[in-house]
Amino acid sequence: LNTLGCGAFSKVKLVKDGEGNKFAMKIMKSDSKKSKEQEDNVFMNEVEVMKDLDHPHLLKLIDYSTKAEALRPDGTKLKLKYLTLEYAEAGELFDYIAETGVFPESHARYFYHQLISALEHMHAKGFKHRDLKPENILFDKDFNLKLADFGFATTEDISDSRKGTYGYMAPEVIANNAYRGEEADLFASAVILFILVTQHPPFIRAEEDDRYYSKVFKGQWNKFWDVHSDMDISENFIDLFTKMVSVDPKDRLTLEQVKAHPWFNGTLPTPEEIKEDFLKRQKVLKNVLKRKGKENENTENAQKPKPAKKKKIPMKYTKFYEVEDADLMVDTVVKCAQHLGIKYDKSKEYFRVELKAQKDKSEVHMLVNILKKPENNMRCLEFVKISGDLADFESVFKKFRSYCGRKFE
């Protein structure tokens, strides 16, 4: 029917069968030079995992093929592989939290029940997801949660490969230590829950020199929560999250202990109440996406499909420097912004600076993150373009690179 989105190695199409039922078809070129062995392994791993899973809150695999063909306009054949997936037409959890605001704790609890139920089923079957994040959680038409993207899932009891997305990785995963996938999944689920309730992540990375998670390493929980003192967060929520993100996995709650926690067993809205709230949020989301020009005009029911986000990967430029003090790098970025007359907003919690540079009649909006390579003391200035002209973004990046180079090189 139409293209829902594109990734580096695949396209996702909205398709319909003879009876009018709609599905999402993830298509990958089998003979593409881009289709490397790693991507093929992820594809087949996802197939094998999804074949063995059947749960109302796990996205369903309908069909797949590794030997499909399509005709090019010139009549030649193109070899393809594809997954036919359940169509989660209400879109991503990420978009709802990012564009429509925080969830009341009772509503966050409603969806967290569904996520924990999905994880419980996966773990009972011997699978660990290893890439939990809001972008991998979808909604069906009734706003039931659907966990997706199983390419990194494993049956290993103990893993030693770093899989997932840094902001959701447990500290033992980031540190390249051996880890249990179940414990890593629960850690990531706690980060997701925090985002639902506050609309922002609890830390950049769960490592000792992270400005926020460092307080967890030191056991300075009062300082950790002081940053969020302006948020309307319940004591039971604070207790649950605190006990789920400890540095040592042995100190964290197990899945059964999470289910027994007072916060988890608090009041829940009815499915009808959830649907009423999220239909309103969906309307807001539709208007936001239209303003941003990100909505697919042919997509029904105001959905911004999950793959569409992956199609447009934010433009990033990076530069590494051997600097131990991240605060010094933040201050240097600020001084450069002041020198160039660029508007800036320095984060109070993270090693991050937001920049808005006026170029002629347009504005370039970007984020500068100070990241650390886990294996050494090298730090990275990561410039992420949020909006604006690419050439203007590159021009600004070069000026900051030159300024910081004189300071650190």
Side-chain angles (χ1 to χ4, degrees):
L1 297 178
N2 59 277
T3 299
L4 298 179
C6 299
F9 307 101
S10 64
K11 284 187 177 182
V12 179
K13 298 276 190 178
L14 179 62
V15 299
K16 185 167 62 174
D17 65 14
E19 298 178 355
N21 300 309
K22 293 179 180 179
F23 305 95
M25 180 175 285
K26 183 176 181 180
I27 305 167
M28 180 185 292
K29 295 179 183 179
S30 293
D31 58 352
S32 171
K33 294 179 180 179
K34 291 183 178 180
S35 184
K36 301 176 184 177
E37 182 179 357
Q38 180 180 358
E39 282 71 34
D40 291 343
N41 290 341
V42 170
F43 180 93
M44 288 310 304
N45 187 64
E46 188 164 18
V47 169
E48 294 304 320
V49 172
M50 296 187 77
K51 284 166 59 178
D52 286 345
L53 295 175
D54 184 16
H55 188 273
H57 300 304
L58 295 174
L59 197 70
K60 288 180 172 55
L61 174 68
I62 307 301
D63 193 13
Y64 76 97
S65 174
T66 59
K67 297 180 180 180
E69 290 183 337
L71 285 177
R72 294 188 176 97
D74 62 3
T76 60
K77 293 182 179 181
L78 176 66
K79 294 181 179 180
L80 303 170
K81 59 173 75 74
Y82 68 81
L83 302 174
T84 304
L85 305 168
E86 175 184 6
Y87 179 43
E89 61 186 80
E92 284 184 20
L93 169 63
F94 177 88
D95 287 328
Y96 285 87
I97 189 62
E99 305 294 356
T100 71
V102 300
F103 294 3
E105 285 192 28
S106 61
H107 289 199
R109 183 182 298 115
Y110 179 92
F111 293 118
Y112 196 59
H113 274 216
Q114 295 185 350
L115 178 58
I116 288 296
S117 178
L119 287 180
E120 186 173 33
H121 177 77
M122 283 193 70
H123 294 173
K125 289 280 190 177
F127 295 105
K128 298 84 181 178
H129 190 281
R130 298 199 301 177
D131 195 19
L132 292 179
K133 55 185 176 181
E135 294 91 333
N136 287 343
I137 296 174
L138 309 176
F139 287 134
D140 68 11
K141 63 182 178 62
D142 295 317
F143 300 99
N144 291 303
L145 180 151
K146 299 285 182 176
L147 181 58
D149 276 12
F150 302 93
F152 287 158
T154 185
T155 57
E156 298 171 342
D157 290 329
I158 303 294
S159 297
D160 57 10
S161 59
R162 188 190 295 145
K163 298 293 184 183
T165 303
Y166 274 111
Y168 304 88
M169 286 182 187
E172 63 270 21
V173 181
I174 293 178
N176 266 334
N177 295 331
Y179 64 92
R180 295 181 59 84
E182 298 96 334
E183 295 166 345
D185 281 350
L186 281 177
F187 185 97
S189 79
V191 176
I192 293 170
L193 177 60
F194 188 97
I195 293 172
L196 298 187
V197 173
T198 69
Q199 206 183 11
H200 61 77
F203 35 75
I204 297 178
R205 296 188 185 190
E207 54 187 357
E208 191 169 5
D209 66 345
D210 182 270
R211 178 178 292 189
Y212 212 175
Y213 196 76
S214 63
K215 297 172 178 58
V216 179
F217 261 89
K218 298 173 183 176
Q220 298 173 340
W221 283 104
N222 288 338
K223 292 183 178 180
F224 179 95
W225 289 111
D226 279 347
V227 180
H228 309 290
S229 58
D230 60 332
M231 302 293 296
D232 185 17
I233 304 174
S234 70
E235 290 298 321
N236 276 339
F237 176 85
I238 291 174
D239 184 72
L240 174 66
F241 182 80
T242 299
K243 292 176 178 177
M244 291 189 71
V245 296
S246 297
V247 178
D248 190 339
K250 295 178 182 177
D251 295 332
R252 298 180 207 145
L253 297 182
T254 64
L255 190 145
E256 289 302 320
Q257 289 171 330
V258 169
K259 290 173 61 178
H261 192 276
W263 186 89
F264 192 87
N265 290 286
T267 58
L268 290 171
T270 64
E272 292 74 21
E273 289 171 333
I274 286 291
K275 190 167 184 178
E276 179 182 3
D277 177 32
F278 274 76
L279 283 172
K280 295 176 182 177
R281 289 177 181 260
Q282 188 180 59
K283 187 175 181 179
V284 172
L285 179 59
K286 178 180 180 179
N287 291 333
V288 170
L289 296 178
K290 279 185 176 179
R291 288 198 301 271
K292 291 184 175 182
K294 293 168 65 178
E295 185 177 48
N296 187 319
E297 293 179 357
N298 297 319
T299 302
E300 295 183 354
N301 299 324
Q303 180 199 15
K304 174 176 175 287
K306 176 181 185 304
K309 186 179 302 299
K310 293 188 176 180
K311 176 183 177 181
K312 189 173 182 180
I313 301 173
M315 177 61 68
K316 296 181 182 180
Y317 286 130
T318 58
K319 177 64 177 176
F320 286 93
Y321 300 97
E322 192 166 354
V323 181
E324 292 186 8
D325 190 348
D327 284 304
L328 177 60
M329 295 195 76
V330 171
D331 292 340
T332 301
V333 170
V334 168
K335 289 178 181 178
C336 182
Q338 292 171 337
H339 175 72
L340 297 172
I342 293 175
K343 295 180 182 178
Y344 66 89
D345 184 13
K346 178 181 174 182
S347 173
K348 295 180 180 179
E349 293 91 24
Y350 307 124
F351 298 123
R352 176 184 300 160
V353 183
E354 182 177 3
L355 301 175
K356 292 184 178 179
Q358 196 69 31
K359 304 289 289 185
D360 297 326
K361 294 183 180 180
S362 64
E363 182 181 74
V364 182
H365 184 194
M366 67 189 76
L367 290 179
V368 183
N369 298 311
I370 287 79
L371 309 177
K372 181 179 183 297
K373 294 186 72 173
E375 61 269 20
N376 56 38
N377 288 327
M378 294 290 286
R379 290 193 181 271
C380 170
L381 279 179
E382 178 189 64
F383 286 75
V384 182
K385 183 174 80 70
I386 305 301
S387 63
D389 182 74
L390 176 58
D392 291 339
F393 171 66
E394 291 175 341
S395 174
V396 173
F397 168 73
K398 289 176 182 178
K399 291 177 181 178
F400 275 86
R401 182 181 62 187
S402 177
Y403 187 95
C404 293
R406 293 195 297 271
K407 177 73 175 179
F408 299 118
E409 291 181 339

